[in-house]
Amino acid sequence: VGAGPGDPGLITVRGLERIRSCEVLVVDRLVPPELVEEAPEDTLVIHRDDLDQDAVNELLVKLGRDYEVVRLKGGDPFVFGRGGEEALALAEAGIQFEIVPGVSSIAAVPAAALVPVTHRGVSDRVTIASGHAADGSEPDYDALARQGGTLVLFMALQRLDRVARGLIGAGLAPSTPAAVVSRGTLPDQEVVTAPLDAVAEAARELPGPALVVVGADIGQSPRTTR
Ligand code: SAH
């Protein structure tokens, strides 16, 4: 089940129904605590923080045989959420499951910050990428710089300085508008906008989780005209 981007009001109706009727709830760090409170009192709640991915897969397979388990993940489970890996493990073990999509931060966080990711006549495509590859390698800056529309970068705050330099080195103008949205949709959401060559410094103190948006459509935000 996708929990949505942070504001507990942004889970789906079906997602909330599933939480309210589950016997076991397995949750990630990014999941809003208010949603965990929605589970029945006798639900076993497991925080997965100390478990590696294999252990989580095993746990879901084991518990899924006997109980109604909700695996609650931040945003949408299939967007940088490893939901695909968990679904494969369940399918291989012959455990029935359902995916309840969530409102991903890709859609919700720029919107909550009044930053459109497409804008007619300005940007007609969006590329979603991770600023931080699992194996520690660098993103493909040449491919990202060439794509020509809006870039939305997940997990990029920690190394934004490197990422911005990489994109400029690959050909993006240093003056390209960039925005960092920290803790999007939450009461303490913060937004910093700056040209690409200054955005890392401008966002230095922001807490995570944060989404980085790069592209001309940031100039179309009603934020900048208010
Ligand atoms: N499955 C999630 C993404 C998990 S990866 C989804 O669909 O949204 C975790 C990354 O998501 C964070 O590093 C950050 O880049 C982004 N993120 C998640 N929630 C966020 C929020 N409320 N505000 C800003 N970025 C967020």
Side-chain angles (χ1 to χ4, degrees), residues 18-51 56 59-60 63 67-73:
R18 295 293 181 266
I19 293 172
R20 285 180 173 160
S21 66
C22 70
E23 297 171 293
V24 181
L25 184 61
V26 183
V27 296
D28 283 351
R29 196 172 43 86
L30 279 183
V31 160
E34 295 89 340
L35 294 178
V36 177
E37 298 286 306
E38 292 287 337
E41 226 159 74
D42 54 352
T43 293
L44 171 64
V45 179
I46 300 175
H47 293 269
R48 71 137 290 185
D49 299 354
D50 312 324
L51 303 175
V56 173
L59 186 75
L60 295 179
L63 294 170
Y67 300 99
E68 184 167 323
V69 180
V70 165
R71 171 74 175 107
L72 191 60
K73 289 172 165 291

Side-chain angles (χ1 to χ4, degrees), residues 101-153:
V103 177
S104 174
S105 55
I106 170 60
V109 168
L114 300 182
V115 174
V117 291
T118 62
H119 198 90
R120 194 152 53 97
V122 178
S123 172
D124 66 358
R125 75 205 90 142
V126 186
T127 302
I128 305 166
S130 167
H132 176 94
D135 62 0
S137 66
E138 294 284 314
D140 184 343
Y141 295 119
D142 289 326
L144 294 177
R146 250 197 329 265
Q147 56 84 33
T150 307
L151 270 180
V152 179
L153 301 170

